[in-house]
Amino acid sequence: MTYLESGTSFDRKRLQDIVDALPLQLHGKGDILLRQGDLSSLCFFVIKGCLRQYFYDEKATEQTVEFYTEGEFFADFGRKDQQTKSDFFITCLDDSALIVGKSDFEQNMYEVFPELKELNLQLLERKFGKVQHSFAAFKASTPEERYTSLKNSRPDLLTRVPQHQIASYLGITLESLSRIKKRLSRLS
């Protein structure tokens, strides 16, 4: 409800109607919400918890793509309306409360609550801008700069996510991450 209150001008009754219609699911730490190779038609909005998006490459090495925390969402846009297999796993790193939907549910919600379409568009625009910025910064930065950026922009991840997953997300080995952290701690 807090997210909807901050992003809209809905009255309290309308907000409650929307919240009551949302499919809230509770998942435990370690639950796999989507497997690489499964048909993907779900989207997830994190109310509470942390999700990890990852895949296994051709060498069977786990590659972390993104973490999703409170107020963020995951949708496999390239697969949304297709009968195509997912390229990713989505796993709960914490006990999580999620709104889980399918594209047909989304369309029904827009019919009942047309103002949600504008809110969703704003959310998508912000997410797309963030992804563009993050990708460009990642490509142009050194591993140490990536770590510093993560530490400054999402410090909560450094304590709630295992370090080997942080290293994978940064595109480095766990040993390199340890060296970077040690070097930076000496400088501060």
Side-chain angles (χ1 to χ4, degrees), residues 69 108 167 176 184:
T69 56
N108 291 339
S176 293
L184 291 174

Side-chain angles (χ1 to χ4, degrees), residues 42-182:
L42 299 176
C43 58
F44 306 96
F45 183 86
V46 182
I47 302 294
K48 174 186 168 284
C50 182
L51 307 181
R52 179 171 74 111
Q53 176 186 9
Y54 63 100
F55 67 95
Y56 287 95
D57 65 17
E58 64 280 346
K59 296 178 186 172
T61 303
E62 197 174 278
Q63 302 291 330
T64 299
V65 175
E66 187 61 87
F67 299 101
Y68 302 92
T69 56
E70 291 80 5
E72 296 183 314
F73 71 94
F74 167 81
D76 196 348
F77 293 110
R79 311 278 189 243
K80 189 174 177 183
D81 294 321
Q82 303 170 14
Q83 291 295 313
T84 320
K85 295 180 180 180
S86 174
D87 294 327
F88 308 104
F89 282 87
I90 299 290
T91 304
C92 295
L93 295 182
D94 298 335
D95 291 341
S96 300
L98 310 169
I99 295 171
V100 180
K102 293 184 176 184
S103 56
D104 60 338
F105 174 78
E106 183 179 341
Q107 291 307 314
N108 291 339
M109 287 293 286
Y110 290 158
E111 289 173 22
V112 178
F113 306 104
E115 56 269 44
L116 281 180
K117 197 167 200 166
E118 179 63 29
L119 178 63
N120 194 33
L121 181 59
Q122 291 171 11
L123 184 66
L124 288 171
E125 287 173 349
R126 279 196 305 268
K127 180 67 173 177
F128 184 67
K130 180 181 167 189
V131 167
Q132 280 183 315
H133 176 76
S134 295
F135 181 72
F138 185 88
K139 295 293 278 182
S141 61
T142 66
E144 190 168 307
E145 290 167 334
R146 285 183 227 144
Y147 175 77
T148 301
S149 176
L150 181 65
K151 185 177 177 182
N152 292 334
S153 65
R154 300 186 74 187
D156 63 305
L157 289 180
L158 300 179
T159 57
R160 72 194 289 197
V161 172
Q163 294 302 290
H164 72 280
Q165 292 173 3
I166 295 288
S168 172
Y169 178 68
L170 295 173
I172 59 177
T173 64
L174 183 56
E175 295 76 18
S176 293
L177 177 60
S178 294
R179 283 192 297 273
I180 289 168
K181 288 168 67 174
K182 189 174 187 178

